Amino acid sequence: MINRVAVAVACAALTLSGNVAAEAPPQIAFGLEYQVHLPGRGCPNADEFALILAGEFGYLLVRADAAATLRVETRTNGKGIEAELSAPNPTGEGEWRRVVTSPDCRELLYDAATLIRIRFGPGGWQGEEPPPWLLSPPRFEVERPELRMEMPAAFLDAMAGEPSEAPLTPWEGTAPRWVQRAPAEETDKLPFQIEMALGATVMPYGMPQVAIGGGGLLGIRWKNLAFGMDLRGVITPVAGVGDPELKDARASLFTVGFLPCVGVRFLDVCGAINASIIGLDAPPPIVVSASDGFSMGFGGRVVGRYPLSSRFTLFGYGDVSGQLRAITIRGPLDGGSTDIVTHWRSPYMRVALGLGVAVSFIE
């Protein structure tokens, strides 16, 4: 099938370049307001529709300097689509309006162009002249003056890399505008963002009791990848550790984690490598003996992200990590006993939940 736009262009070109034996009918012109609300339906753009009109009328109907304006708006209409056409009424009474319907957007616009030609083309005036405000404005052709420019010797020497012995005049010290380097375009945004985050943390499993606290995160984020370093501290708010219970003791945990992540829309899926230290706050006369509270762990984290603005993001996460060793808290059975017993042994798994706000510093 021959492309109808190409045919329209060819017709317009032949008409504009050919000599017309008979007296040509008066030509009209419109400015074009073209609105398409049908993405993905193959609708012609404004330039293509102007060429379709040119093929119907035999000349370029759409001009920026025209006094009258043709408005075309396409939209859905049930199962089909429609185009609403409007233009000033040549009789001076209100507006000329028509609605065209078709299942295909391109055919719809060809039908619209045909309808416009029937009303505003030579056959639509029935021997009358179009109103003056509808006629095409005259075209003016201005001959360009011949310009000759002799480049100063100092400038030519500078371009050739040879210094000039003569002092530079103010004009000679500035290169003409056409040889000046174009100003550098604004650089695109950096391909990464730097984020800092603060939030609250709850650890329901992995400590002698439910532990609460908070932490911060420093990260760098690309389009679909991110890497962060997480610092987190929690403490058991209720006194009492282990069984037999150390009644006035509280356990605490400090963790440093490293998080490589893959981002999928509003979700980050991260691996986690962490190092942690469990401590015990126990007033005298309780004395706790243990080798140390250090442990290493590996796990994963899932983070949900909701942008509050261009800089601030609300996030919530849940993570699970497995520890390479269990931490044991040992101490006396009570304040007056010399027997050392195990009050608590940490599990090999920890679960934590968090909520916070992240701020981006580079966009």
Side-chain angles (χ1 to χ4, degrees), residues 39-72:
R41 300 293 290 269
C43 297
N45 58 29
D47 293 336
E48 291 176 325
F49 184 66
L51 292 176
I52 293 172
L53 287 173
E56 290 285 348
F57 282 78
Y59 60 90
L60 296 177
L61 177 72
V62 175
R63 291 178 54 174
D65 55 355
T69 300
L70 171 67
R71 296 176 177 84
V72 180

Tab-separated table of all heavy atoms in Angstrom, residues 39-72:
chain	number	residue	atom	x	y	z
A	39	PRO	N	-2.400	7.505	22.779
A	39	PRO	CA	-1.056	6.932	22.638
A	39	PRO	C	-1.115	5.488	22.181
A	39	PRO	O	-1.969	4.711	22.605
A	39	PRO	CB	-0.482	7.057	24.058
A	39	PRO	CG	-1.671	7.130	24.958
A	39	PRO	CD	-2.749	7.834	24.170
A	40	GLY	N	-0.190	5.137	21.302
A	40	GLY	CA	-0.093	3.765	20.840
A	40	GLY	C	-1.101	3.376	19.781
A	40	GLY	O	-1.182	2.196	19.411
A	41	ARG	N	-1.868	4.332	19.246
A	41	ARG	CA	-2.872	3.991	18.236
A	41	ARG	C	-2.408	4.345	16.823
A	41	ARG	O	-3.170	4.254	15.880
A	41	ARG	CB	-4.178	4.733	18.533
A	41	ARG	CG	-4.790	4.412	19.899
A	41	ARG	CD	-5.275	2.979	19.977
A	41	ARG	NE	-6.438	2.757	19.149
A	41	ARG	CZ	-7.697	2.883	19.571
A	41	ARG	NH1	-7.941	3.243	20.820
A	41	ARG	NH2	-8.714	2.639	18.765
A	42	GLY	N	-1.151	4.767	16.649
A	42	GLY	CA	-0.627	5.051	15.324
A	42	GLY	C	-1.141	6.329	14.711
A	42	GLY	O	-1.213	6.448	13.486
A	43	CYS	N	-1.497	7.317	15.535
A	43	CYS	CA	-2.017	8.575	15.012
A	43	CYS	C	-0.893	9.395	14.376
A	43	CYS	O	0.223	9.425	14.892
A	43	CYS	CB	-2.668	9.387	16.129
A	43	CYS	SG	-4.104	8.595	16.880
A	44	PRO	N	-1.169	10.088	13.256
A	44	PRO	CA	-0.164	11.004	12.704
A	44	PRO	C	0.116	12.135	13.689
A	44	PRO	O	-0.772	12.544	14.449
A	44	PRO	CB	-0.836	11.527	11.423
A	44	PRO	CG	-1.952	10.584	11.131
A	44	PRO	CD	-2.401	10.024	12.445
A	45	ASN	N	1.342	12.654	13.646
A	45	ASN	CA	1.631	13.816	14.474
A	45	ASN	C	1.188	15.088	13.744
A	45	ASN	O	0.634	15.033	12.645
A	45	ASN	CB	3.119	13.874	14.844
A	45	ASN	CG	4.020	13.924	13.625
A	45	ASN	OD1	3.643	14.432	12.581
A	45	ASN	ND2	5.233	13.384	13.777
A	46	ALA	N	1.411	16.244	14.358
A	46	ALA	CA	0.918	17.499	13.789
A	46	ALA	C	1.536	17.778	12.426
A	46	ALA	O	0.845	18.239	11.500
A	46	ALA	CB	1.200	18.652	14.753
A	47	ASP	N	2.835	17.514	12.262
A	47	ASP	CA	3.479	17.754	10.965
A	47	ASP	C	2.904	16.851	9.881
A	47	ASP	O	2.691	17.281	8.737
A	47	ASP	CB	4.990	17.546	11.090
A	47	ASP	CG	5.645	18.595	11.971
A	47	ASP	OD1	5.072	19.690	12.098
A	47	ASP	OD2	6.715	18.309	12.536
A	48	GLU	N	2.664	15.579	10.231
A	48	GLU	CA	2.092	14.669	9.249
A	48	GLU	C	0.679	15.104	8.851
A	48	GLU	O	0.291	15.037	7.681
A	48	GLU	CB	2.070	13.250	9.802
A	48	GLU	CG	3.436	12.615	9.951
A	48	GLU	CD	3.385	11.245	10.593
A	48	GLU	OE1	2.539	11.034	11.475
A	48	GLU	OE2	4.185	10.393	10.200
A	49	PHE	N	-0.101	15.559	9.847
A	49	PHE	CA	-1.460	15.990	9.525
A	49	PHE	C	-1.431	17.244	8.640
A	49	PHE	O	-2.271	17.402	7.753
A	49	PHE	CB	-2.240	16.259	10.807
A	49	PHE	CG	-3.678	16.625	10.555
A	49	PHE	CD1	-4.556	15.714	10.009
A	49	PHE	CD2	-4.154	17.889	10.871
A	49	PHE	CE1	-5.879	16.041	9.763
A	49	PHE	CE2	-5.472	18.231	10.632
A	49	PHE	CZ	-6.347	17.299	10.076
A	50	ALA	N	-0.460	18.133	8.858
A	50	ALA	CA	-0.325	19.304	7.989
A	50	ALA	C	-0.035	18.884	6.553
A	50	ALA	O	-0.548	19.478	5.596
A	50	ALA	CB	0.772	20.222	8.520
A	51	LEU	N	0.760	17.837	6.365
A	51	LEU	CA	1.036	17.337	5.012
A	51	LEU	C	-0.191	16.664	4.404
A	51	LEU	O	-0.412	16.736	3.186
A	51	LEU	CB	2.213	16.361	5.048
A	51	LEU	CG	3.581	16.979	5.376
A	51	LEU	CD1	4.633	15.897	5.471
A	51	LEU	CD2	3.964	18.019	4.342
A	52	ILE	N	-0.988	15.987	5.245
A	52	ILE	CA	-2.233	15.395	4.742
A	52	ILE	C	-3.159	16.492	4.225
A	52	ILE	O	-3.772	16.379	3.156
A	52	ILE	CB	-2.911	14.568	5.848
A	52	ILE	CG1	-2.062	13.336	6.203
A	52	ILE	CG2	-4.303	14.125	5.424
A	52	ILE	CD1	-2.546	12.572	7.403
A	53	LEU	N	-3.256	17.598	4.969
A	53	LEU	CA	-4.063	18.723	4.508
A	53	LEU	C	-3.489	19.322	3.224
A	53	LEU	O	-4.236	19.716	2.318
A	53	LEU	CB	-4.129	19.792	5.604
A	53	LEU	CG	-4.992	19.475	6.828
A	53	LEU	CD1	-4.812	20.546	7.895
A	53	LEU	CD2	-6.464	19.368	6.448
A	54	ALA	N	-2.166	19.404	3.125
A	54	ALA	CA	-1.541	19.930	1.914
A	54	ALA	C	-1.888	19.071	0.711
A	54	ALA	O	-2.099	19.574	-0.406
A	54	ALA	CB	-0.029	20.014	2.099
A	55	GLY	N	-1.947	17.745	0.885
A	55	GLY	CA	-2.341	16.875	-0.210
A	55	GLY	C	-3.782	17.082	-0.620
A	55	GLY	O	-4.121	16.963	-1.803
A	56	GLU	N	-4.649	17.413	0.331
A	56	GLU	CA	-6.058	17.660	0.006
A	56	GLU	C	-6.239	18.997	-0.713
A	56	GLU	O	-7.017	19.102	-1.663
A	56	GLU	CB	-6.890	17.638	1.292
A	56	GLU	CG	-7.036	16.262	1.935
A	56	GLU	CD	-8.017	15.373	1.187
A	56	GLU	OE1	-8.743	15.893	0.318
A	56	GLU	OE2	-8.038	14.162	1.469
A	57	PHE	N	-5.548	20.036	-0.268
A	57	PHE	CA	-5.745	21.384	-0.807
A	57	PHE	C	-4.812	21.709	-1.973
A	57	PHE	O	-5.049	22.644	-2.720
A	57	PHE	CB	-5.565	22.427	0.298
A	57	PHE	CG	-6.748	22.556	1.203
A	57	PHE	CD1	-6.982	21.629	2.211
A	57	PHE	CD2	-7.659	23.598	1.054
A	57	PHE	CE1	-8.077	21.742	3.050
A	57	PHE	CE2	-8.758	23.719	1.888
A	57	PHE	CZ	-8.975	22.782	2.889
A	58	GLY	N	-3.701	20.963	-2.093
A	58	GLY	CA	-2.752	21.252	-3.157
A	58	GLY	C	-1.722	22.297	-2.804
A	58	GLY	O	-0.934	22.714	-3.664
A	59	TYR	N	-1.688	22.743	-1.601
A	59	TYR	CA	-0.664	23.686	-1.138
A	59	TYR	C	-0.580	23.567	0.380
A	59	TYR	O	-1.406	22.895	1.015
A	59	TYR	CB	-1.002	25.126	-1.541
A	59	TYR	CG	-2.316	25.638	-0.985
A	59	TYR	CD1	-2.369	26.282	0.249
A	59	TYR	CD2	-3.509	25.477	-1.689
A	59	TYR	CE1	-3.569	26.747	0.762
A	59	TYR	CE2	-4.710	25.944	-1.186
A	59	TYR	CZ	-4.750	26.575	0.040
A	59	TYR	OH	-5.927	27.027	0.556
A	60	LEU	N	0.425	24.217	0.960
A	60	LEU	CA	0.637	24.133	2.404
A	60	LEU	C	-0.379	25.023	3.101
A	60	LEU	O	-0.243	26.249	3.124
A	60	LEU	CB	2.069	24.537	2.770
A	60	LEU	CG	3.160	23.623	2.207
A	60	LEU	CD1	4.538	24.163	2.579
A	60	LEU	CD2	2.998	22.203	2.736
A	61	LEU	N	-1.375	24.375	3.665
A	61	LEU	CA	-2.483	25.102	4.290
A	61	LEU	C	-2.110	25.627	5.675
A	61	LEU	O	-2.541	26.705	6.088
A	61	LEU	CB	-3.694	24.174	4.381
A	61	LEU	CG	-4.943	24.701	5.071
A	61	LEU	CD1	-5.625	25.732	4.194
A	61	LEU	CD2	-5.902	23.558	5.390
A	62	VAL	N	-1.333	24.870	6.416
A	62	VAL	CA	-1.006	25.215	7.809
A	62	VAL	C	0.186	26.151	7.821
A	62	VAL	O	1.267	25.820	7.307
A	62	VAL	CB	-0.718	23.946	8.632
A	62	VAL	CG1	-0.265	24.314	10.043
A	62	VAL	CG2	-1.945	23.056	8.675
A	63	ARG	N	0.000	27.349	8.399
A	63	ARG	CA	1.059	28.341	8.486
A	63	ARG	C	1.040	28.990	9.866
A	63	ARG	O	-0.032	29.197	10.459
A	63	ARG	CB	0.884	29.400	7.403
A	63	ARG	CG	1.137	28.873	6.001
A	63	ARG	CD	0.920	29.925	4.941
A	63	ARG	NE	1.699	31.142	5.193
A	63	ARG	CZ	1.762	32.156	4.343
A	63	ARG	NH1	1.114	32.089	3.184
A	63	ARG	NH2	2.463	33.236	4.634
A	64	ALA	N	2.232	29.322	10.355
A	64	ALA	CA	2.334	29.927	11.686
A	64	ALA	C	1.813	31.355	11.702
A	64	ALA	O	1.405	31.860	12.753
A	64	ALA	CB	3.783	29.889	12.167
A	65	ASP	N	1.816	32.047	10.530
A	65	ASP	CA	1.397	33.441	10.501
A	65	ASP	C	-0.067	33.608	10.098
A	65	ASP	O	-0.515	34.706	9.782
A	65	ASP	CB	2.288	34.241	9.549
A	65	ASP	CG	2.312	33.633	8.144
A	65	ASP	OD1	1.727	32.553	7.948
A	65	ASP	OD2	2.931	34.245	7.250
A	66	ALA	N	-0.823	32.507	10.088
A	66	ALA	CA	-2.228	32.590	9.700
A	66	ALA	C	-3.047	33.247	10.809
A	66	ALA	O	-2.759	33.097	12.007
A	66	ALA	CB	-2.775	31.206	9.389
A	67	ALA	N	-4.111	33.958	10.402
A	67	ALA	CA	-4.969	34.646	11.371
A	67	ALA	C	-5.979	33.698	12.000
A	67	ALA	O	-6.340	33.845	13.167
A	67	ALA	CB	-5.698	35.809	10.690
A	68	ALA	N	-6.467	32.721	11.261
A	68	ALA	CA	-7.469	31.776	11.756
A	68	ALA	C	-6.787	30.528	12.297
A	68	ALA	O	-5.655	30.201	11.916
A	68	ALA	CB	-8.443	31.407	10.642
A	69	THR	N	-7.481	29.832	13.183
A	69	THR	CA	-6.904	28.641	13.825
A	69	THR	C	-7.842	27.459	13.639
A	69	THR	O	-9.050	27.561	13.908
A	69	THR	CB	-6.672	28.872	15.318
A	69	THR	OG1	-5.775	29.962	15.484
A	69	THR	CG2	-6.083	27.629	15.975
A	70	LEU	N	-7.277	26.347	13.183
A	70	LEU	CA	-8.000	25.087	13.067
A	70	LEU	C	-7.628	24.223	14.264
A	70	LEU	O	-6.444	24.002	14.525
A	70	LEU	CB	-7.620	24.379	11.756
A	70	LEU	CG	-8.125	22.944	11.586
A	70	LEU	CD1	-9.650	22.922	11.472
A	70	LEU	CD2	-7.479	22.296	10.365
A	71	ARG	N	-8.630	23.731	14.969
A	71	ARG	CA	-8.396	22.897	16.151
A	71	ARG	C	-8.838	21.467	15.858
A	71	ARG	O	-9.959	21.252	15.362
A	71	ARG	CB	-9.137	23.448	17.371
A	71	ARG	CG	-8.640	24.829	17.792
A	71	ARG	CD	-9.464	25.378	18.949
A	71	ARG	NE	-8.944	26.668	19.395
A	71	ARG	CZ	-9.270	27.827	18.820
A	71	ARG	NH1	-10.122	27.841	17.787
A	71	ARG	NH2	-8.750	28.961	19.264
A	72	VAL	N	-7.965	20.519	16.195
A	72	VAL	CA	-8.252	19.099	15.991
A	72	VAL	C	-7.926	18.377	17.289
A	72	VAL	O	-6.807	18.478	17.800
A	72	VAL	CB	-7.415	18.515	14.832
A	72	VAL	CG1	-7.738	17.044	14.648
A	72	VAL	CG2	-7.663	19.290	13.553
